Amino acid sequence: MTTKAILTSLFIISLLSSCKKKTLEQKIESLPPAQTTAVATPSKETIADMENNSFTLSCGAGCAATYTAEEISQDKTSVKVKFKVENYINDKLEVTNEETYLFYYSNTGVIDKIINEETDKNILDEYILDAQESFKEFAASLIKDKKVEIPQVKEQGNSGNTKYRISVLPFDHEAYYSTCYVKFDEKECASRYPQYSYPENKNILEEYGIKDTPTGFFMLPKINNVQPFILAYTDSDVEGYDLIVAAKNKVISSLQIAEFDGETVNDFIITRNFEIELYTRKNTTEKRILKKKYKIQSDGKIK
């Protein structure tokens, strides 16, 4: 082979490797649940036994990337994880590279943001919901059983909501479903209707004395010192939503606000004034019929 031919071949290989890396960054489309497999090695320090945890992201047909934690360290504000990223095309390993992320938690252990150190982008803002969930599941595994200490951040202000992601009012279930599941507008969905998964974030509910076990939940703006939650039960044939208003370690009131049993559609709107409008109809093609109204009072009671 001539020198010119060799140089040409090397250039093509380099170009293909570069393209595949960009493809993974730009084409994350759907993800399986994060798979966490800890290697059984003796613990050398607080977080040594968390190393080599891994999860897999899919970046399209025949394209996947496995993220394996190789180095984990932490300071007063964040946990730093360096991943080995193995890029596969049709089950064949093509490119291996490294990516480093900074995991920031609230004082209660809820993941607040995950920053790509190279691009300075927040995974919880930039990636699709399935990708966010995979990273959040890994984040939860880092602090499981206190293998990683939660970095303590000084809370500022007295709003009580600054450390949480709060849904925007009005919360119209029909609009929520259209945004997140029909239009699949991931950015708008994450911004307007941020949802916490369960049991990964059960510590938030426990903080307010809520013992229910939903599929996921939403936090609404506070009313004085009480916190409204919407609990979603979406992992069974009959789906439902409950509104719960609680103070620290105490449930004040609750109300079933939606149910979908295959025969009727019962959903809701919660307005900016915390009025609760309950609607019914036979199917989603029919016009909603208002059947009852409630309001969350300043003391947290629903009347």
Side-chain angles (χ1 to χ4, degrees):
M1 181 180 289
T2 66
T3 302
K4 183 177 181 180
I6 293 173
L7 290 174
T8 300
S9 298
L10 290 173
F11 172 76
I12 292 172
I13 292 171
S14 175
L15 182 62
L16 286 173
S17 297
S18 176
C19 289
K20 285 166 183 170
K21 183 177 179 181
K22 287 183 179 180
T23 297
L24 273 167
E25 293 174 350
Q26 298 171 356
K27 285 188 57 182
I28 295 180
E29 296 173 357
S30 61
L31 298 92
Q35 300 297 318
T36 304
T37 53
V39 174
T41 55
S43 176
K44 297 179 181 179
E45 55 185 68
T46 306
I47 56 179
D49 58 353
M50 293 299 300
E51 294 182 7
N52 296 318
N53 279 13
S54 64
F55 57 93
T56 300
L57 311 183
S58 171
C59 51
C63 176
T66 296
Y67 282 68
T68 303
E70 292 196 314
E71 293 181 14
I72 303 175
S73 59
Q74 67 179 114
D75 57 24
K76 294 180 180 180
T77 61
S78 66
V79 178
K80 184 176 182 178
V81 183
K82 184 172 78 173
F83 291 98
K84 177 177 70 175
V85 185
E86 297 172 300
N87 304 324
Y88 292 85
I89 303 295
N90 295 325
D91 297 325
K92 181 182 178 182
L93 179 61
E94 297 287 346
V95 179
T96 300
N97 56 285
E98 293 181 348
E99 294 179 14
T100 300
Y101 293 86
L102 300 175
F103 292 75
Y104 293 87
Y105 297 84
S106 73
N107 289 352
T108 59
V110 178
I111 189 64
D112 183 50
K113 56 184 177 180
I114 305 171
I115 304 297
N116 182 310
E117 193 175 56
E118 181 180 358
T119 65
D120 202 35
K121 290 183 178 180
N122 183 5
I123 297 303
L124 303 183
D125 291 334
E126 300 291 334
Y127 281 19
I128 64 172
L129 293 178
D130 284 343
Q132 292 179 31
E133 287 303 316
S134 291
F135 271 94
K136 285 194 288 186
E137 286 178 21
F138 178 81
S141 76
L142 286 174
I143 61 173
K144 186 178 181 181
D145 300 323
K146 297 184 179 180
K147 292 177 181 177
V148 166
E149 294 182 4
I150 301 171
Q152 295 297 301
V153 180
K154 292 182 179 180
E155 303 290 349
Q156 297 181 355
N158 298 317
S159 68
N161 277 149
T162 54
K163 60 183 177 180
Y164 298 123
R165 299 192 303 279
I166 305 300
S167 295
V168 178
L169 294 180
F171 193 119
D172 182 336
H173 181 271
E174 185 174 54
Y176 154 70
Y177 190 86
S178 176
T179 299
C180 300
Y181 296 100
V182 178
K183 298 175 183 177
F184 203 67
D185 187 337
E186 296 127 4
K187 190 171 183 179
E188 177 69 11
C189 184
S191 173
R192 190 173 182 86
Y193 309 104
Q195 182 173 181
Y196 288 92
S197 57
Y198 189 94
E200 292 83 359
N201 297 289
K202 68 177 181 178
N203 58 307
I204 299 177
L205 298 184
E206 291 173 348
E207 182 181 347
Y208 285 90
I210 300 173
K211 299 180 180 180
D212 302 68
T213 57
T215 310
F217 61 92
F218 306 85
M219 298 182 71
L220 304 182
K222 271 192 170 184
I223 307 174
N224 296 328
N225 292 318
V226 297
Q227 176 64 61
F229 293 85
I230 296 175
L231 274 54
Y233 299 87
T234 57
D235 57 356
S236 62
D237 292 337
V238 178
E239 297 184 7
Y241 290 78
D242 290 345
L243 175 65
I244 292 184
V245 185
K248 293 292 183 180
N249 299 312
K250 179 183 178 182
V251 173
I252 299 172
S253 56
S254 63
L255 177 71
Q256 184 181 52
I257 54 176
E259 185 178 65
F260 310 91
D261 58 9
E263 296 182 0
T264 56
V265 175
N266 298 300
D267 63 1
F268 65 91
I269 297 174
I270 300 177
T271 71
R272 291 186 178 90
N273 296 323
F274 295 98
E275 293 178 345
I276 307 155
E277 301 174 354
L278 303 184
Y279 294 87
T280 187
R281 50 187 162 165
K282 290 184 178 179
N283 56 64
T284 55
T285 62
E286 292 186 350
K287 185 178 180 180
R288 282 167 154 178
I289 300 173
L290 179 63
K291 64 177 183 178
K292 206 156 189 180
K293 292 182 70 172
Y294 297 89
K295 186 173 182 177
I296 305 175
Q297 307 299 312
S298 59
D299 60 1
K301 293 181 180 179
I302 300 173
K303 295 182 180 179

